[in-house]
Amino acid sequence: MTEQRNEEARAHALAEGSTFTWHELYVADGEAAVRFYAQVLDWESQHLEMEGGSYPMLVANGRPIAGVQATRDNPQMAGVPPHWAIYVAVDDVDARLARVTEHGGNIVVPAMDIPTVGRMALIADPQGAHLWLFTPFPGKCQQA
């Protein structure tokens, strides 16, 4: 995808009211989860090499649709129950975080950069529902 098409996709996603752009599965055994979804839904898997290691992804129709995070051996994820997380595209993660707290929400995971991917943060709405906010770095293709 050319850089112009990347920017057009990003602008379209944001104009449409913030598109859900990515999904992530948190489970104790990531390899077992990949096998399960591959067998049940005929998905494939691939790995993305990133800083800090390999990131397993579930792939449908040749397109990565979700990442898999193994929690068992990660002290930062101790006590995290198995769940699916969702990411929504926003124009500016940091500006949206200010609005979250203004309107009674909480910042669960502060804004952080994922090298070569984008900036993200985890929020909780006033009732406790969690959502990841995500802004791709310029030139990165939307997953939507």
Side-chain angles (χ1 to χ4, degrees):
M1 200 179 265
T2 66
E3 187 166 332
Q4 180 181 357
R5 289 195 58 209
N6 289 341
E7 291 305 313
E8 288 171 3
R10 181 175 183 268
H12 176 73
L14 297 174
E16 289 298 313
S18 297
T19 300
F20 290 96
T21 61
W22 189 244
H23 309 281
E24 203 159 53
L25 176 60
Y26 290 80
V27 290
D29 186 341
E31 291 178 17
V34 167
R35 282 192 307 275
F36 173 81
Y37 287 101
Q39 292 167 346
V40 171
L41 300 174
D42 294 327
W43 288 347
E44 297 176 355
S45 67
Q46 68 184 44
H47 289 259
L48 176 64
E49 295 305 319
M50 300 179 67
E51 286 184 24
S54 181
Y55 180 61
M57 296 182 296
L58 297 167
V59 178
N61 301 317
R63 181 174 157 239
I65 57 166
V68 179
Q69 290 284 340
T71 60
R72 180 182 298 141
D73 298 323
N74 186 336
Q76 294 177 318
M77 294 187 189
V80 172
H83 70 282
W84 280 94
I86 55 174
Y87 291 72
V88 65
V90 297
D91 53 350
D92 181 328
V93 167
D94 297 288
R96 297 297 173 171
L97 289 179
R99 294 178 72 180
V100 166
T101 56
E102 286 173 17
H103 295 281
N106 293 303
I107 298 169
V108 179
V109 175
M112 62 182 154
D113 290 339
I114 303 301
T116 73
V117 176
R119 188 159 176 79
M120 61 192 216
L122 179 63
I123 65 164
D125 69 22
Q127 297 185 65
H130 289 91
L131 178 70
W132 285 94
L133 303 181
F134 174 73
T135 302
F137 289 141
K140 296 297 168 189
C141 187
Q142 291 289 108
Q143 294 293 328

